[in-house]
Every structure is written in structure tokens, then in C-alpha cells.
Amino acid sequence: MTSTTNTLTRSTDSSQPLVPLLEERWSPRSYDETATISDASFDAVLEAARWAPSANNLQPRRFIAGRRGTETFRTINEHLLGFNAAWAFRASALVVGVLETVNEEGTELRFAEYDLGQSVAALAVQAHAEGLHVHQMGGIDAEGLRAAFGLDARFLPFTVTAIGTVADPSQLDEKIAEREVAPRTRMPLDEVVLVKE
């Protein structure tokens, strides 16, 4: 199995040079359950999400953020689905990304998903700059989270992001551990870019 040192620096096999924060970013599932996130780092990753681009500056994204050991964290963790629940409890923090699907007048906010995605991407890059790693999850009980946090019907929990410090993958079950150390892959650039002139 790959050592902890190698799993901490899983660079891309990029066809072009990237800035280090993008080159080194990856999504672990093995987190150090003794590591904590400081107030300054937690605020910084959430501030990065706040300052992400937004269509027409409508900012149709909200966040529910809890550190391990808090009631907020416990509630978020209870609403993870599938194998996410088998590892996410060790993260230092869990953050629910919430879509504002319509505004107060009932008008659809059609770029809400795009805006939330940009916010979480900014959060991920800032987290890496803080020496942390994130893993984004779509396997959540959205209605359960909505009810648990008393959200209005126009707000939809959409993702949960785990934030923390990478730990050795040996603490994961065998199937998840294999995914943790598998080579990072992406489709080739010429398959992703349909037209370039």
C-alpha cells in the first residue's frame, strides 16, 4: 500500500504546468480524527466560498458549517448516505452547500448550482492553501438536512464537503483504501475541449 508521505502529495499527470494549489489538490477519504481546524482556517475557507464569482452577483448559495465534536457536525454526519458515512466522521469539519433555488419573490435562480459549484471550488483551493484537504459529496439526505436545520422550502441542501488533515489510508476499509491510493485520472484535454482555435 502507498505510504502516508506519497498520499499527501498526489500531484496530477497534467499535460500543462498548473499552479501548485491546483496541481496538488485531491480529494481524500482518510482523515486524521485527532486533527482540528483553527478558527482562522475555518473562517478563511468559508470566506473564499463567499467571494467566489456569482451570476449577476445574486449569490444563491448558503452554508451550514460544523466542526467535529459539535451538534452541527453530528447532524450533518447523520444525513450522509452510502459509504460516505464510513469515513467522513473523521474529518475536522463538514460543510453543507445549500442552494437558494428561488428568491423571496419566487423567481427561479437558474444559475444557483453553478454558483454553488464555484463557491465550493474556491473553498477547496483555499483549504489546500491552509494545509487542509476537502472531499465533496453528493450522497446526502437533502430533505433530512433541510428539516434538521429548519430551512425554508426555497433552500435545498445540495452537497456536503469534508475538510481535514490527511491520514494514512490503512484506517479505511479495503475497498475505500484502494480508491484512496489509485492513480488520479482525467479525460484527455482533446476530449474535454470540443473546439479550440
Side-chain angles (χ1 to χ4, degrees), residues 157-177:
F158 197 65
T159 63
V160 171
T161 300
I163 307 173
T165 302
V166 178
D168 193 285
S170 62
Q171 70 181 341
L172 302 171
D173 73 36
E174 186 175 352
K175 185 175 181 181
I176 301 175

Side-chain angles (χ1 to χ4, degrees), residues 84-143:
N84 291 328
W87 59 265
F89 68 92
R90 294 187 184 98
S92 298
L94 294 174
V95 178
V96 182
V98 180
L99 299 175
E100 182 183 15
T101 59
V102 297
N103 65 17
E104 292 179 351
E105 291 75 40
T107 302
E108 179 188 6
L109 299 171
R110 61 184 296 261
F111 292 108
E113 291 179 22
Y114 186 83
D115 277 8
L116 178 62
Q118 292 201 92
S119 283
V120 177
L123 179 154
V125 171
Q126 183 65 39
H128 196 78
E130 300 285 328
L132 302 164
H133 283 78
V134 307
H135 190 106
Q136 301 170 46
M137 297 168 272
I140 66 171
D141 174 5
E143 291 304 321

Side-chain angles (χ1 to χ4, degrees), residues 35 52 58 71 77 87 91 157 175 177-178 185 191:
L58 294 175
E71 184 63 21
N77 190 63
W87 59 265
K175 185 175 181 181
E178 286 176 7
T185 61
E191 289 184 28

